[in-house]
Amino acid sequence: MATVLTLPVTAPVLPKDYTPPVASSSARLSAPHPTGHRVLLPVGHAHLDHLRLSLLHAHDFDSFDAQTATEREAKAQLLAAEGATEDDLGVGDEEETHELLALDPKEWKKQDHYAVLGLSKFRYLATAEQIKIAHRKKVLKHHPDKKASNVPSETILGINTSRNTNDDAFFKCIQKAHEILTNSEKRRQFDSVDPEFLELEDQLTGITEKEFKAKNLDFFKTFSPIFDLYTRFSRAQPAPGLGAKDATKDEVEGFYDFWYNFDSWRSFEWYDKEVNEGSDSRDDKRYTEKKNKSERARRKKEDTAKVRMLVDLTLSLDPRIKLIKQKEKEAREAKKAAASGKPLKKTKAEEEEEKRKAEEEKKAKEEAEK
Protein backbone atom coordinates (compact mmCIF):
# COMPACT_ATOMS: atom_id res chain seq x y z
CA MET A 1 0.00 0.00 0.00
CA ALA A 2 1.46 3.37 -0.99
CA THR A 3 2.09 5.95 1.72
CA VAL A 4 1.22 9.63 1.41
CA LEU A 5 4.04 12.12 1.95
CA THR A 6 3.26 15.73 2.85
CA LEU A 7 5.89 18.16 1.60
CA PRO A 8 6.22 21.58 3.28
CA VAL A 9 5.86 23.91 0.29
CA THR A 10 5.23 27.61 0.85
CA ALA A 11 3.98 29.74 -2.02
CA PRO A 12 5.75 33.10 -2.46
CA VAL A 13 3.85 36.25 -1.54
CA LEU A 14 2.46 38.18 -4.50
CA PRO A 15 3.86 41.71 -5.01
CA LYS A 16 1.60 44.63 -4.04
CA ASP A 17 1.40 45.93 -7.62
CA TYR A 18 0.29 42.54 -9.02
CA THR A 19 -2.92 42.50 -11.02
CA PRO A 20 -4.50 39.29 -12.38
CA PRO A 21 -4.33 38.96 -16.20
CA VAL A 22 -7.47 39.63 -18.19
CA ALA A 23 -8.42 37.11 -20.91
CA SER A 24 -8.62 38.62 -24.37
CA SER A 25 -11.80 38.44 -26.43
CA SER A 26 -10.09 36.05 -28.84
CA ALA A 27 -9.10 33.54 -26.16
CA ARG A 28 -10.24 29.97 -26.73
CA LEU A 29 -11.14 29.44 -23.05
CA SER A 30 -14.54 30.64 -21.86
CA ALA A 31 -14.98 32.89 -18.84
CA PRO A 32 -14.89 31.16 -15.41
CA HIS A 33 -18.14 29.91 -13.90
CA PRO A 34 -19.82 32.47 -11.58
CA THR A 35 -19.73 30.04 -8.66
CA GLY A 36 -15.99 29.53 -9.10
CA HIS A 37 -16.18 25.95 -10.32
CA ARG A 38 -17.38 23.94 -13.28
CA VAL A 39 -20.02 21.21 -13.25
CA LEU A 40 -18.57 17.76 -14.00
CA LEU A 41 -20.94 15.25 -15.52
CA PRO A 42 -20.85 11.76 -13.91
CA VAL A 43 -20.19 9.79 -17.10
CA GLY A 44 -17.44 7.76 -18.74
CA HIS A 45 -15.10 4.94 -17.76
CA ALA A 46 -13.25 7.07 -15.20
CA HIS A 47 -16.46 7.80 -13.29
CA LEU A 48 -17.49 4.13 -13.32
CA ASP A 49 -14.08 3.07 -12.06
CA HIS A 50 -14.34 5.68 -9.30
CA LEU A 51 -17.71 4.28 -8.23
CA ARG A 52 -16.37 0.72 -8.19
CA LEU A 53 -13.31 1.81 -6.24
CA SER A 54 -15.34 3.66 -3.61
CA LEU A 55 -18.43 1.45 -3.30
CA LEU A 56 -16.99 -2.05 -3.82
CA HIS A 57 -13.38 -1.72 -2.65
CA ALA A 58 -13.52 1.04 -0.01
CA HIS A 59 -10.84 3.03 -1.89
CA ASP A 60 -8.42 0.08 -1.68
CA PHE A 61 -6.39 0.28 -4.90
CA ASP A 62 -4.77 -3.15 -4.40
CA SER A 63 -8.17 -4.81 -4.18
CA PHE A 64 -9.44 -2.85 -7.19
CA ASP A 65 -6.40 -3.80 -9.35
CA ALA A 66 -6.72 -7.50 -8.39
CA GLN A 67 -10.43 -7.52 -9.34
CA THR A 68 -9.71 -5.79 -12.66
CA ALA A 69 -6.98 -8.33 -13.52
CA THR A 70 -9.33 -11.23 -12.68
CA GLU A 71 -12.07 -9.82 -14.94
CA ARG A 72 -9.59 -9.26 -17.79
CA GLU A 73 -8.34 -12.85 -17.54
CA ALA A 74 -11.89 -14.23 -17.46
CA LYS A 75 -12.79 -12.22 -20.55
CA ALA A 76 -9.74 -13.52 -22.42
CA GLN A 77 -10.64 -17.13 -21.55
CA LEU A 78 -14.21 -16.57 -22.73
CA LEU A 79 -13.06 -15.18 -26.07
CA ALA A 80 -10.66 -18.11 -26.50
CA ALA A 81 -13.41 -20.63 -25.73
CA GLU A 82 -15.70 -19.01 -28.32
CA GLY A 83 -12.94 -18.99 -30.94
CA ALA A 84 -12.98 -15.20 -31.14
CA THR A 85 -10.08 -13.50 -32.88
CA GLU A 86 -8.82 -9.97 -33.17
CA ASP A 87 -10.38 -7.56 -35.65
CA ASP A 88 -8.98 -8.58 -39.05
CA LEU A 89 -9.74 -5.17 -40.57
CA GLY A 90 -11.60 -6.89 -43.41
CA VAL A 91 -8.54 -8.36 -45.10
CA GLY A 92 -7.52 -11.79 -46.31
CA ASP A 93 -11.02 -13.14 -46.98
CA GLU A 94 -11.18 -12.70 -50.74
CA GLU A 95 -12.25 -15.63 -52.89
CA GLU A 96 -9.38 -17.85 -54.01
CA THR A 97 -9.89 -18.81 -57.64
CA HIS A 98 -8.57 -21.98 -59.20
CA GLU A 99 -6.10 -19.92 -61.26
CA LEU A 100 -4.79 -18.29 -58.09
CA LEU A 101 -4.30 -21.59 -56.24
CA ALA A 102 -2.55 -23.11 -59.27
CA LEU A 103 0.20 -20.44 -59.40
CA ASP A 104 3.76 -21.61 -59.90
CA PRO A 105 6.07 -20.15 -57.22
CA LYS A 106 8.92 -20.15 -59.74
CA GLU A 107 7.02 -17.54 -61.77
CA TRP A 108 6.73 -15.16 -58.80
CA LYS A 109 7.55 -12.06 -60.87
CA LYS A 110 4.43 -12.61 -62.98
CA GLN A 111 2.09 -12.96 -59.98
CA ASP A 112 -0.26 -10.46 -58.35
CA HIS A 113 1.10 -10.53 -54.80
CA TYR A 114 -1.79 -8.49 -53.43
CA ALA A 115 -4.25 -11.07 -54.78
CA VAL A 116 -2.18 -13.90 -53.26
CA LEU A 117 -2.62 -12.38 -49.78
CA GLY A 118 -6.25 -11.40 -50.39
CA LEU A 119 -5.49 -7.67 -50.55
CA SER A 120 -6.78 -6.91 -54.05
CA LYS A 121 -9.17 -4.20 -52.86
CA PHE A 122 -6.42 -2.43 -50.88
CA ARG A 123 -3.35 -2.87 -53.10
CA TYR A 124 -0.81 -0.02 -52.76
CA LEU A 125 -2.90 1.50 -49.95
CA ALA A 126 -2.61 -1.62 -47.76
CA THR A 127 -1.01 -0.87 -44.40
CA ALA A 128 1.69 -2.93 -42.70
CA GLU A 129 -0.89 -4.15 -40.16
CA GLN A 130 -3.28 -5.30 -42.91
CA ILE A 131 -0.46 -7.17 -44.66
CA LYS A 132 0.51 -8.84 -41.37
CA ILE A 133 -3.06 -9.97 -40.64
CA ALA A 134 -3.68 -11.17 -44.20
CA HIS A 135 -0.46 -13.21 -44.17
CA ARG A 136 -1.32 -14.80 -40.83
CA LYS A 137 -4.76 -15.85 -42.08
CA LYS A 138 -3.31 -17.32 -45.28
CA VAL A 139 -0.64 -19.25 -43.38
CA LEU A 140 -3.23 -20.71 -40.99
CA LYS A 141 -5.26 -21.84 -43.98
CA HIS A 142 -2.57 -23.11 -46.35
CA HIS A 143 0.39 -24.21 -44.23
CA PRO A 144 1.41 -27.71 -45.46
CA ASP A 145 1.59 -29.11 -41.91
CA LYS A 146 -1.90 -27.87 -41.11
CA LYS A 147 -3.23 -29.32 -44.36
CA ALA A 148 -1.58 -32.64 -43.65
CA SER A 149 -3.03 -32.79 -40.14
CA ASN A 150 -6.54 -32.14 -41.44
CA VAL A 151 -6.42 -34.85 -44.14
CA PRO A 152 -6.42 -38.57 -43.26
CA SER A 153 -3.08 -40.15 -44.06
CA GLU A 154 -3.20 -42.52 -47.04
CA THR A 155 -0.09 -44.42 -48.15
CA ILE A 156 0.32 -46.38 -51.38
CA LEU A 157 3.58 -48.27 -51.94
CA GLY A 158 5.19 -46.22 -49.20
CA ILE A 159 4.14 -42.86 -50.74
CA ASN A 160 1.91 -40.46 -48.84
CA THR A 161 -0.83 -39.68 -51.38
CA SER A 162 -2.80 -37.43 -49.06
CA ARG A 163 -0.29 -34.57 -49.44
CA ASN A 164 -1.44 -31.87 -51.88
CA THR A 165 1.51 -30.44 -53.79
CA ASN A 166 -0.64 -27.54 -55.03
CA ASP A 167 -1.08 -26.40 -51.44
CA ASP A 168 2.68 -26.54 -50.92
CA ALA A 169 3.23 -24.48 -54.08
CA PHE A 170 0.64 -21.87 -53.14
CA PHE A 171 2.11 -21.64 -49.64
CA LYS A 172 5.43 -20.73 -51.23
CA CYS A 173 3.60 -18.03 -53.22
CA ILE A 174 2.16 -16.70 -49.97
CA GLN A 175 5.58 -16.52 -48.36
CA LYS A 176 7.05 -14.78 -51.41
CA ALA A 177 4.21 -12.25 -51.49
CA HIS A 178 4.76 -11.50 -47.80
CA GLU A 179 8.49 -11.12 -48.35
CA ILE A 180 7.95 -8.58 -51.15
CA LEU A 181 5.16 -6.54 -49.57
CA THR A 182 6.95 -6.20 -46.23
CA ASN A 183 10.13 -4.92 -47.88
CA SER A 184 9.69 -1.23 -48.73
CA GLU A 185 12.11 -1.30 -51.68
CA LYS A 186 10.71 -4.49 -53.24
CA ARG A 187 7.16 -3.29 -52.68
CA ARG A 188 7.95 0.00 -54.42
CA GLN A 189 9.29 -1.93 -57.39
CA PHE A 190 6.18 -4.13 -57.55
CA ASP A 191 3.79 -1.18 -57.11
CA SER A 192 5.50 0.47 -60.09
CA VAL A 193 4.32 -2.37 -62.35
CA ASP A 194 1.20 -3.42 -60.44
CA PRO A 195 -0.79 -5.60 -62.89
CA GLU A 196 -4.07 -3.86 -61.99
CA PHE A 197 -2.48 -0.45 -62.61
CA LEU A 198 -1.12 -1.58 -65.98
CA GLU A 199 -4.58 -2.82 -67.00
CA LEU A 200 -6.23 0.47 -66.02
CA GLU A 201 -3.47 2.43 -67.71
CA ASP A 202 -4.12 0.65 -71.02
CA GLN A 203 -7.85 1.29 -70.71
CA LEU A 204 -7.68 4.97 -69.79
CA THR A 205 -4.68 6.38 -71.63
CA GLY A 206 -5.45 5.09 -75.13
CA ILE A 207 -7.70 8.09 -75.89
CA THR A 208 -6.77 10.34 -78.85
CA GLU A 209 -7.92 13.83 -79.77
CA LYS A 210 -9.71 12.51 -82.86
CA GLU A 211 -11.56 9.85 -80.87
CA PHE A 212 -12.46 12.34 -78.12
CA LYS A 213 -14.06 14.75 -80.60
CA ALA A 214 -15.70 12.03 -82.70
CA LYS A 215 -17.43 10.48 -79.69
CA ASN A 216 -18.18 13.87 -78.10
CA LEU A 217 -16.87 12.64 -74.75
CA ASP A 218 -17.11 14.54 -71.48
CA PHE A 219 -13.76 16.21 -70.79
CA PHE A 220 -13.73 15.84 -66.99
CA LYS A 221 -15.10 12.28 -66.91
CA THR A 222 -12.51 11.23 -69.49
CA PHE A 223 -9.35 12.81 -68.09
CA SER A 224 -9.92 13.04 -64.31
CA PRO A 225 -9.49 9.24 -63.77
CA ILE A 226 -6.21 9.33 -65.73
CA PHE A 227 -4.53 11.80 -63.39
CA ASP A 228 -6.10 10.17 -60.34
CA LEU A 229 -4.39 6.97 -61.48
CA TYR A 230 -0.92 8.54 -61.72
CA THR A 231 -1.05 10.49 -58.45
CA ARG A 232 0.14 7.38 -56.56
CA PHE A 233 3.61 7.85 -58.11
CA SER A 234 4.01 11.50 -57.13
CA ARG A 235 6.77 12.33 -54.66
CA ALA A 236 4.86 15.48 -53.72
CA GLN A 237 1.57 14.71 -52.00
CA PRO A 238 -1.24 15.52 -52.27
CA ALA A 239 -1.13 15.80 -56.05
CA PRO A 240 -3.71 18.18 -57.58
CA GLY A 241 -6.59 16.65 -59.51
CA LEU A 242 -8.04 17.94 -62.76
CA GLY A 243 -10.73 19.85 -60.91
CA ALA A 244 -14.08 21.06 -62.18
CA LYS A 245 -15.36 23.41 -64.85
CA ASP A 246 -15.69 26.31 -62.40
CA ALA A 247 -12.05 26.08 -61.24
CA THR A 248 -10.24 29.41 -60.92
CA LYS A 249 -7.41 30.49 -63.21
CA ASP A 250 -4.87 29.92 -60.42
CA GLU A 251 -6.18 26.37 -59.84
CA VAL A 252 -6.00 25.52 -63.55
CA GLU A 253 -2.51 26.97 -63.94
CA GLY A 254 -1.37 25.21 -60.74
CA PHE A 255 -2.62 21.88 -62.07
CA TYR A 256 -0.72 22.13 -65.35
CA ASP A 257 2.40 23.51 -63.69
CA PHE A 258 2.44 20.50 -61.33
CA TRP A 259 1.93 17.88 -64.04
CA TYR A 260 4.36 19.44 -66.52
CA ASN A 261 6.97 19.15 -63.76
CA PHE A 262 5.68 15.82 -62.45
CA ASP A 263 8.25 14.19 -60.13
CA SER A 264 7.55 10.45 -60.19
CA TRP A 265 9.18 7.81 -58.00
CA ARG A 266 8.11 5.03 -60.37
CA SER A 267 10.94 2.68 -61.36
CA PHE A 268 11.31 -0.47 -63.42
CA GLU A 269 13.76 -2.74 -61.57
CA TRP A 270 11.03 -5.37 -61.45
CA TYR A 271 11.71 -6.15 -65.11
CA ASP A 272 15.44 -6.75 -64.55
CA LYS A 273 16.84 -9.91 -66.09
CA GLU A 274 18.44 -12.38 -63.72
CA VAL A 275 21.99 -13.61 -64.22
CA ASN A 276 22.06 -17.10 -65.73
CA GLU A 277 21.97 -19.74 -63.02
CA GLY A 278 25.27 -21.48 -62.47
CA SER A 279 27.26 -18.72 -64.17
CA ASP A 280 30.14 -17.38 -62.13
CA SER A 281 31.49 -15.22 -64.92
CA ARG A 282 32.02 -11.61 -63.91
CA ASP A 283 31.63 -10.59 -67.54
CA ASP A 284 28.14 -12.12 -67.64
CA LYS A 285 27.15 -10.29 -64.47
CA ARG A 286 28.53 -6.97 -65.69
CA TYR A 287 26.79 -7.38 -69.05
CA THR A 288 23.47 -8.25 -67.39
CA GLU A 289 23.71 -5.31 -64.99
CA LYS A 290 24.55 -2.95 -67.85
CA LYS A 291 21.63 -4.26 -69.90
CA ASN A 292 19.23 -3.91 -66.96
CA LYS A 293 20.37 -0.36 -66.28
CA SER A 294 19.86 0.58 -69.91
CA GLU A 295 16.37 -0.96 -69.99
CA ARG A 296 15.34 0.81 -66.78
CA ALA A 297 16.44 4.15 -68.20
CA ARG A 298 14.57 3.50 -71.45
CA ARG A 299 11.33 2.56 -69.68
CA LYS A 300 11.62 5.56 -67.35
CA LYS A 301 12.08 7.88 -70.31
CA GLU A 302 9.06 6.38 -72.09
CA ASP A 303 6.93 6.69 -68.95
CA THR A 304 7.89 10.37 -68.50
CA ALA A 305 7.14 11.08 -72.16
CA LYS A 306 3.77 9.33 -71.89
CA VAL A 307 2.68 11.45 -68.94
CA ARG A 308 3.87 14.59 -70.75
CA MET A 309 1.84 13.68 -73.86
CA LEU A 310 -1.24 13.12 -71.70
CA VAL A 311 -0.81 16.57 -70.16
CA ASP A 312 -0.41 18.09 -73.65
CA LEU A 313 -3.58 16.36 -74.85
CA THR A 314 -5.50 17.46 -71.76
CA LEU A 315 -4.37 21.06 -72.17
CA SER A 316 -5.38 21.13 -75.84
CA LEU A 317 -8.91 19.92 -75.03
CA ASP A 318 -9.49 21.75 -71.73
CA PRO A 319 -12.59 23.98 -72.11
CA ARG A 320 -11.44 26.13 -69.21
CA ILE A 321 -8.44 27.37 -71.16
CA LYS A 322 -10.71 28.85 -73.82
CA LEU A 323 -12.81 30.58 -71.15
CA ILE A 324 -9.72 31.98 -69.42
CA LYS A 325 -8.37 33.36 -72.69
CA GLN A 326 -11.77 34.86 -73.53
CA LYS A 327 -11.94 36.63 -70.15
CA GLU A 328 -8.40 37.94 -70.55
CA LYS A 329 -9.24 39.28 -74.02
CA GLU A 330 -12.38 41.00 -72.71
CA ALA A 331 -10.38 42.53 -69.84
CA ARG A 332 -7.78 43.92 -72.29
CA GLU A 333 -10.51 45.36 -74.54
CA ALA A 334 -12.26 46.93 -71.56
CA LYS A 335 -9.02 48.51 -70.39
CA LYS A 336 -8.28 49.80 -73.89
CA ALA A 337 -11.81 51.23 -74.27
CA ALA A 338 -11.62 52.93 -70.89
CA ALA A 339 -8.33 54.57 -71.83
CA SER A 340 -9.69 55.88 -75.17
CA GLY A 341 -13.06 56.98 -73.73
CA LYS A 342 -15.04 54.79 -76.13
CA PRO A 343 -18.09 52.80 -74.93
CA LEU A 344 -17.32 49.27 -73.83
CA LYS A 345 -18.00 46.52 -76.31
CA LYS A 346 -20.44 43.97 -75.00
CA THR A 347 -19.00 40.59 -74.14
CA LYS A 348 -20.22 37.43 -75.74
CA ALA A 349 -21.90 36.41 -72.49
CA GLU A 350 -23.73 39.72 -72.26
CA GLU A 351 -24.87 39.44 -75.87
CA GLU A 352 -26.22 35.95 -75.25
CA GLU A 353 -28.00 37.14 -72.09
CA GLU A 354 -29.67 40.01 -73.98
CA LYS A 355 -30.70 37.66 -76.77
CA ARG A 356 -32.21 35.26 -74.24
CA LYS A 357 -34.17 38.03 -72.52
CA ALA A 358 -35.48 39.32 -75.87
CA GLU A 359 -36.71 35.85 -76.80
CA GLU A 360 -38.43 35.47 -73.42
CA GLU A 361 -40.15 38.86 -73.79
CA LYS A 362 -41.27 37.98 -77.32
CA LYS A 363 -42.65 34.64 -76.16
CA ALA A 364 -44.48 36.28 -73.21
CA LYS A 365 -45.99 38.90 -75.53
CA GLU A 366 -47.26 36.23 -77.94
CA GLU A 367 -48.87 34.29 -75.10
CA ALA A 368 -50.53 37.49 -73.81
CA GLU A 369 -52.03 38.23 -77.22
CA LYS A 370 -53.55 34.73 -77.35
Side-chain angles (χ1 to χ4, degrees):
M1 183 70 180
T3 58
V4 180
L5 297 178
T6 303
L7 300 177
V9 178
T10 304
V13 180
L14 293 174
K16 294 181 179 180
D17 57 347
Y18 172 79
T19 55
V22 179
S24 63
S25 59
S26 61
R28 291 180 177 272
L29 297 177
S30 60
H33 196 276
T35 61
H37 67 276
R38 293 183 182 274
V39 178
L40 299 179
L41 298 178
V43 295
H45 294 291
H47 176 68
L48 295 177
D49 288 342
H50 167 71
L51 292 178
R52 294 175 63 191
L53 177 65
S54 58
L55 299 177
L56 302 178
H57 301 279
H59 296 283
D60 186 345
F61 283 94
D62 290 340
S63 174
F64 176 75
D65 292 341
Q67 179 65 25
T68 303
T70 302
E71 291 178 356
R72 190 182 300 114
E73 183 179 353
K75 183 178 179 181
Q77 292 176 356
L78 180 62
L79 290 175
E82 294 177 351
T85 58
E86 62 180 315
D87 183 9
D88 62 7
L89 304 178
V91 300
D93 293 326
E94 296 177 3
E95 181 183 357
E96 296 173 342
T97 63
H98 175 72
E99 291 77 11
L100 185 68
L101 295 174
L103 290 175
D104 184 355
K106 295 180 180 179
E107 301 291 334
W108 57 271
K109 276 204 170 185
K110 299 179 181 180
Q111 296 166 10
D112 184 348
H113 297 292
Y114 288 114
V116 170
L117 292 184
L119 296 167
S120 297
K121 63 181 180 181
F122 298 96
R123 309 202 73 80
Y124 72 99
L125 296 175
T127 64
E129 182 66 18
Q130 289 172 330
I131 294 172
K132 176 182 176 182
I133 293 173
H135 175 251
R136 184 188 302 122
K137 294 177 75 172
K138 292 292 182 180
V139 168
L140 290 174
K141 183 177 180 181
H142 292 283
H143 195 285
D145 293 343
K146 185 175 180 63
K147 287 284 185 178
S149 63
N150 293 336
V151 178
S153 178
E154 185 176 345
T155 304
I156 300 177
L157 298 178
I159 301 175
N160 186 0
T161 59
S162 62
R163 192 174 185 86
N164 191 336
T165 56
N166 282 343
D167 288 332
D168 292 357
F170 187 63
F171 180 74
K172 292 178 182 178
C173 294
I174 293 171
Q175 295 300 83
K176 191 65 178 181
H178 181 257
E179 173 192 336
I180 291 169
L181 298 183
T182 53
N183 183 295
S184 59
E185 181 65 18
K186 292 181 180 179
R187 185 179 181 183
R188 179 185 63 80
Q189 296 174 7
F190 176 71
D191 285 341
S192 296
V193 296
D194 186 334
E196 184 179 84
F197 168 83
L198 297 178
E199 184 178 350
L200 289 173
E201 186 182 36
D202 290 340
Q203 293 175 2
L204 297 175
T205 61
I207 188 71
T208 62
E209 183 175 358
K210 183 177 180 181
E211 181 184 0
F212 178 85
K213 293 180 177 179
K215 295 183 178 180
N216 195 24
L217 299 174
D218 182 273
F219 173 77
F220 297 98
K221 290 182 180 179
T222 302
F223 289 97
S224 289
I226 295 176
F227 292 98
D228 292 343
L229 184 67
Y230 281 99
T231 53
R232 68 179 71 184
F233 299 128
S234 176
R235 295 185 188 276
Q237 293 290 346
L242 184 60
K245 187 175 182 179
D246 58 352
T248 64
K249 179 184 176 182
D250 290 339
E251 290 173 340
V252 175
E253 290 179 347
F255 168 80
Y256 286 107
D257 179 66
F258 178 90
W259 286 98
Y260 270 123
N261 299 280
F262 183 53
D263 185 12
S264 172
W265 55 259
R266 190 181 186 190
S267 62
F268 297 92
E269 294 94 341
W270 193 262
Y271 293 130
D272 284 357
K273 300 293 183 182
E274 301 292 337
V275 180
N276 294 332
E277 295 184 7
S279 175
D280 295 329
S281 173
R282 293 184 179 179
D283 292 337
D284 287 347
K285 293 181 179 179
R286 280 197 293 265
Y287 174 78
T288 303
E289 290 174 358
K290 183 178 179 180
K291 189 75 173 177
N292 287 336
K293 185 177 180 180
S294 176
E295 283 297 302
R296 289 198 297 268
R298 180 185 65 80
R299 288 191 171 98
K300 183 67 175 179
K301 185 177 180 181
E302 289 178 353
D303 182 63
T304 303
K306 185 173 186 177
V307 174
R308 182 64 181 259
M309 289 175 63
L310 287 170
V311 180
D312 288 338
L313 178 61
T314 306
L315 179 64
S316 66
L317 297 173
D318 195 336
R320 299 170 300 183
I321 300 299
K322 185 177 180 180
L323 292 175
I324 291 173
K325 290 181 177 179
Q326 179 67 25
K327 289 181 180 179
E328 290 177 346
K329 181 181 178 181
E330 292 171 357
R332 288 194 301 268
E333 291 178 351
K335 186 177 180 180
K336 186 177 179 181
S340 62
K342 296 180 180 180
L344 295 177
K345 183 180 179 181
K346 294 181 180 180
T347 64
K348 187 176 181 181
E350 291 174 342
E351 292 176 353
E352 291 178 353
E353 181 66 17
E354 288 184 358
K355 184 178 179 181
R356 184 184 63 80
K357 288 182 178 181
E359 290 177 353
E360 289 179 353
E361 290 176 358
K362 183 180 179 181
K363 187 176 179 181
K365 187 177 179 180
E366 291 177 353
E367 291 178 355
E369 290 177 352
K370 290 180 181 179

